[in-house]
Amino acid sequence: MAQTLLKWVGTSSRLFGSFKPALHTHGLQVQVPFQRQIKAFTLSDRGGGGAGGYSGRDFLALSDEQLMGQCEMDTFKASGPGGQHRNKRESAVRLKHVPTGIVAQAVEDRSQHKNRASALARLRTLLALKVRNKLNLDEYRPPLELLQILPAKSTMRTSDCGPQIGPNNPKFVLGMQALLDLIFAVDGSISDAAKYLGLSTGALSRLILSDDSLRMAVNELRSSKGMRPLT
Amino acid sequence: MICRGFVVLEREMNSSFPRAIRSTISPSSLVFKRPKPPFFAALSRSISVSSMPTSPNPQIPLFLRPPKFSSTLSDLQKWQEWAKSIALSVGSKFVDIDNGPDTILLCRELKWLLEDAVEDKSTVPELGSAKNGRLVRLKADIEELYVLWKQRIEERRPFQYIVGCEHWRDLILSVQEGVLIPRPETELIVDLVGEVVLENKGLGDGIWADLGTGSGAIAIGIGRILGSGGKVIATDLSPVAASVAAYNVERYELQDKVEIRQGSWFEPLDDVKGALVGLVSNPPYIPSHLILGLQAEVGKHEPRLALDGGENGMDDLLHLCKGAALMLKPGGFFAFETNGEKQCEFLADFLTNKLETSFHNVKVVYDFAGIQRFVTGFHN
Ligand SMILES: C[S@@+](CC[C@H](N)C(=O)[O-])C[C@H]1O[C@@H](n2cnc3c(N)ncnc32)[C@H](O)[C@@H]1O
């Protein structure tokens, strides 16, 4: 995680979601920090279990700046004049991803900058967990980002996949999203999913159990289908 | 709160940076229960003096000090429990008095203090289950930790002065008494500069000035985004601020990019008159009559020189606005932090209408809390 954060922190610009419209008073231009760059994502079918009609892969492929541009950010509401008047570390950050309505927040870091970065990393995980992409299983081939999180023994893996990416690597969320897409497409059957990935059922189960949020997402799906949870 | 006196603990640590820890003792200290031995040992070794020695060398933040001390896990846990119980006993008292910190914030600070004080952060979670006499290496004597946390609660000494640093943007800046603790709002100035530098590469390779640099926060933030030809001159009237800023600049290895000069506003900048591509400042902007009512951490501990902006808070801002036209090159950018809507509107109007044709594209920019906080613009 730390790596993406630093990268993002280092190239900060256009990071701020605006939460007030531009105003014109006294003939002066009053501006919010930066304009948001919301792209053409439909907002109409929000709330349908988080899935909606848009592609979660598109969101995760965005740069931090672009993703931030789709978010509204609040810190604590102004409870006074702020600035030089205050020493209270009001550095908590709450990000609302407008196209999906997903909210991520971070309070525990010591600078607002880092809280913003943590909230954004958390948002990526939530997007991976909650936004599903439809798959066509007849022509299914696991995408590279999914192959990269699989153990070396997967028969689908080729040498250009590189070493296995673990849950601490920021790229893991991309693979996790693709894996969840597949598991949803096969209605939660680990053995079916394992076949598409060239793995044994046991090996895929171990991978799922290696990450808490992944395990919980899979088990939530399985319990909704009346299947036993993985343990 | 009568019979206050300063206590200086003799310290054997940091031989290269002799320093003293200030502590005031008040009768209310007796209210809090604490394990006796370490704390009283600390007191009995102390001597009384009446003022803070001026330190020629800036203090080293706690987290950067060598781990010369040690304590058993269980003694550290005892300290933590004691500190937590004091924090809990505060409840909403400080919030009610002057909108100061609440228990939640104090507990968070306690965790950060612990993180800075131990050599190995991973021991912090172990504390809860510590029943053993294993030794933990510490960057401050456990006795000092007792004193520091007492100062935090009883004197409302700012947490950042206790640990000697503030996390600001992606930086960790050294701060100490005499230097303003940089505020989260001010982080935005660096982003505003980043924005204009992206749009106009020429600005990234010129000379910038950060006036009233304090800890050097803005200057360092800008120094890190300028191009290879870019440079920042950071000034401050306060010698303590100038030395702390220099220390921070060195820690980020920016000596070639950020130059510290001591002096009042534009005075040390004679040689770059009309040559600046950018001018930024977060000058003192609090109206004098509001200083008394500030939360104790600010009003009683941060330097008045850094806060008090005169009768309506705009003495320094107006001085900077008037001087900006002389200092900036044509096309040069400025950004000033203000007290809020009133000052922003006044200054934006002043810069647009009262100074004739000096500036264009004058804007007011909101901070994260939705308050109009900055005035920015360009020299014609
Ligand atoms: C609000 S603080 C800002 C410090 C730092 N730039 C920051 O944002 O954290 C204002 C600073 O202006 C400095 N200052 C006050 N009067 C000054 C003067 N006449 N000339 C230069 N600096 C001055 C103070 O010492 C203080 O460091």
Side-chain angles (χ1 to χ4, degrees):
Chain A
M1 192 165 87
Q3 289 151 357
T4 29
L5 302 193
L6 285 178
K7 190 187 86 215
W8 180 61
V9 160
T11 58
S12 56
S13 72
R14 297 199 174 276
L15 301 186
F16 306 100
S18 54
F19 42 86
K20 286 210 173 168
L23 301 170
H24 292 270
T25 53
H26 308 288
L28 298 165
Q29 208 185 344
V30 178
Q31 263 216 344
V32 291
F34 303 107
Q35 291 305 311
R36 276 196 268 124
Q37 319 161 286
I38 296 202
K39 302 244 174 64
F41 294 108
T42 54
L43 301 182
S44 50
D45 51 3
R46 178 152 10 139
Y54 20 77
S55 159
R57 282 177 80 176
D58 294 345
F59 295 139
L60 290 185
L62 295 175
S63 70
D64 286 328
E65 283 85 351
Q66 290 168 323
L67 188 57
M68 194 74 184
Q70 297 183 343
C71 291
E72 283 172 6
M73 179 174 119
D74 338 301
T75 50
F76 283 110
K77 267 157 247 107
S79 62
Q84 288 166 18
H85 295 255
R86 302 292 294 145
N87 176 330
K88 217 177 172 181
R89 299 178 158 278
E90 278 154 329
S91 60
V93 169
R94 178 177 174 278
L95 292 179
K96 180 172 179 191
H97 184 241
V98 175
T100 59
I102 291 175
V103 171
Q105 51 189 10
V107 296
E108 65 288 341
D109 281 313
R110 284 164 74 165
S111 90
Q112 179 162 81
H113 210 72
K114 295 227 179 91
N115 272 328
R116 234 158 49 211
S118 304
L120 199 61
R122 218 157 278 165
L123 175 63
R124 285 188 184 278
T125 304
L126 289 170
L127 285 168
L129 293 172
K130 297 199 167 167
V131 183
R132 293 279 61 86
N133 303 292
K134 283 222 160 45
L135 299 182
N136 179 354
L137 285 175
D138 295 337
E139 291 162 18
Y140 185 75
R141 306 220 71 231
L144 180 64
E145 65 266 21
L146 174 48
L147 293 174
Q148 285 175 330
I149 69 166
L150 299 182
K153 58 186 157 199
S154 157
T155 58
M156 303 293 286
R157 252 175 161 271
T158 52
S159 55
D160 53 335
C161 294
Q164 184 184 10
I165 285 174
N168 291 329
N169 187 313
K171 284 188 181 164
F172 186 82
V173 288
L174 282 167
M176 177 167 85
Q177 182 179 52
L179 177 57
L180 283 168
D181 287 341
L182 176 62
I183 292 173
F184 272 70
V186 297
D187 290 326
S189 162
I190 304 305
S191 55
D192 287 356
K195 278 180 211 137
Y196 284 101
L197 301 175
L199 280 177
S200 68
T201 308
L204 181 56
S205 304
R206 278 193 292 283
L207 171 62
I208 293 166
L209 293 173
S210 73
D211 182 80
D212 283 346
S213 42
L214 177 57
R215 171 178 52 82
M216 282 174 348
V218 170
N219 280 340
E220 200 178 305
L221 170 70
R222 285 174 63 89
S223 71
S224 76
K225 307 262 174 200
M227 298 184 217
R228 265 186 298 114
L230 300 181
T231 49
Chain B
M1 289 292 158
I2 12 150
C3 68
R4 285 188 154 231
F6 288 113
V7 173
V8 175
L9 292 184
E10 300 281 24
R11 311 216 41 84
E12 57 283 79
M13 54 187 292
N14 291 329
S15 43
S16 58
F17 284 87
R19 56 185 291 276
I21 303 293
R22 191 174 61 163
S23 153
T24 69
I25 305 301
S26 64
S28 63
S29 58
L30 301 174
V31 174
F32 301 119
K33 277 186 285 170
R34 56 192 133 61
K36 264 182 278 163
F39 185 71
F40 284 118
L43 284 186
S44 60
R45 272 204 263 117
S46 59
I47 47 160
S48 256
V49 293
S50 58
S51 72
M52 180 86 164
T54 44
S55 62
N57 290 317
Q59 296 171 14
I60 303 184
L62 179 60
F63 85 103
L64 285 177
R65 293 180 209 162
K68 283 190 188 167
F69 305 90
S70 61
S71 133
T72 59
L73 260 181
S74 56
D75 277 349
L76 191 58
Q77 187 183 7
K78 234 179 264 163
W79 170 79
Q80 189 194 29
E81 278 163 10
W82 164 82
K84 199 165 171 187
S85 72
I86 295 189
L88 289 173
S89 75
V90 168
S92 67
K93 198 165 81 197
F94 298 161
V95 179
D96 299 339
I97 297 175
D98 57 13
N99 202 11
D102 60 8
T103 294
I104 296 175
L105 182 69
L106 290 169
C107 287
R108 207 177 284 152
E109 290 180 356
L110 177 60
K111 188 183 131 233
W112 292 330
L113 170 56
L114 199 56
E115 282 174 8
D116 279 8
V118 296
E119 182 192 27
D120 175 9
K121 270 193 214 177
S122 63
T123 49
V124 174
E126 280 177 47
L127 276 176
S129 58
K131 278 212 176 54
N132 58 46
R134 190 157 76 76
L135 285 183
V136 201
R137 305 234 285 161
L138 295 175
K139 298 175 182 182
D141 195 348
I142 191 134
E143 294 169 14
E144 187 185 348
L145 294 181
Y146 278 96
V147 174
L148 290 173
W149 194 249
K150 270 175 66 70
Q151 293 173 338
R152 176 70 191 102
I153 305 291
E154 290 181 16
E155 294 165 36
R156 309 273 306 271
R157 187 179 180 211
F159 170 75
Q160 298 88 341
Y161 290 159
I162 301 265
V163 292
C165 72
E166 172 65 319
H167 292 224
W168 191 84
R169 296 181 62 82
D170 51 342
L171 307 168
I172 303 180
L173 298 165
S174 169
V175 292
Q176 67 187 54
E177 266 84 1
V179 179
L180 186 101
I181 299 158
R183 306 293 199 257
E185 286 88 345
T186 310
E187 296 186 9
L188 240 165
I189 292 188
V190 179
D191 295 290
L192 294 170
V193 171
E195 186 81 351
V196 296
V197 164
L198 257 183
E199 275 162 20
N200 180 345
K201 292 275 183 291
L203 294 181
D205 282 317
I207 305 174
W208 287 73
D210 170 23
L211 302 188
T213 196
S215 61
I218 306 173
I220 292 171
I222 294 177
R224 280 153 54 101
I225 56 178
L226 292 184
S228 53
K231 194 186 140 160
V232 188
I233 303 175
T235 71
D236 208 293
L237 186 58
S238 149
V240 188
S243 85
V244 168
Y247 174 89
N248 284 321
V249 166
E250 214 166 292
R251 229 172 68 68
Y252 285 96
E253 295 179 3
L254 288 170
Q255 297 96 309
D256 294 343
K257 279 227 125 41
V258 181
E259 183 191 334
I260 309 290
R261 297 183 183 178
Q262 197 190 325
S264 183
W265 303 133
F266 299 111
E267 277 169 28
L269 297 179
D270 246 4
D271 58 327
V272 288
K273 215 175 223 164
L276 297 178
V277 295
L279 175 64
V280 296
S281 181
N282 171 22
Y285 55 59
I286 300 181
S288 304
H289 69 276
L290 295 180
I291 299 280
L292 254 179
L294 290 171
Q295 73 170 106
E297 283 80 3
V298 179
K300 296 205 165 53
H301 295 271
E302 293 198 291
R304 185 154 187 154
L305 180 68
L307 303 167
D308 190 341
E311 193 179 335
N312 59 13
M314 281 191 287
D315 287 2
D316 299 299
L317 277 164
L318 283 169
H319 180 69
L320 293 175
C321 287
K322 287 176 192 156
L326 278 179
M327 299 306 300
L328 286 170
K329 264 186 173 170
F333 173 78
F334 70 86
F336 299 132
E337 183 171 326
T338 79
N339 198 35
E341 181 174 345
K342 254 172 124 177
Q343 291 190 0
C344 274
E345 285 185 356
F346 183 91
L347 293 173
D349 177 55
F350 181 79
L351 287 160
T352 320
N353 303 320
K354 303 290 182 319
L355 292 172
E356 297 304 314
T357 55
S358 276
F359 298 101
H360 65 273
N361 226 345
V362 173
K363 286 177 192 168
V364 169
V365 179
Y366 286 89
D367 68 17
F368 299 128
I371 294 178
Q372 296 177 23
R373 180 66 66 195
F374 310 96
V375 185
T376 67
F378 295 86
H379 190 217
N380 285 335

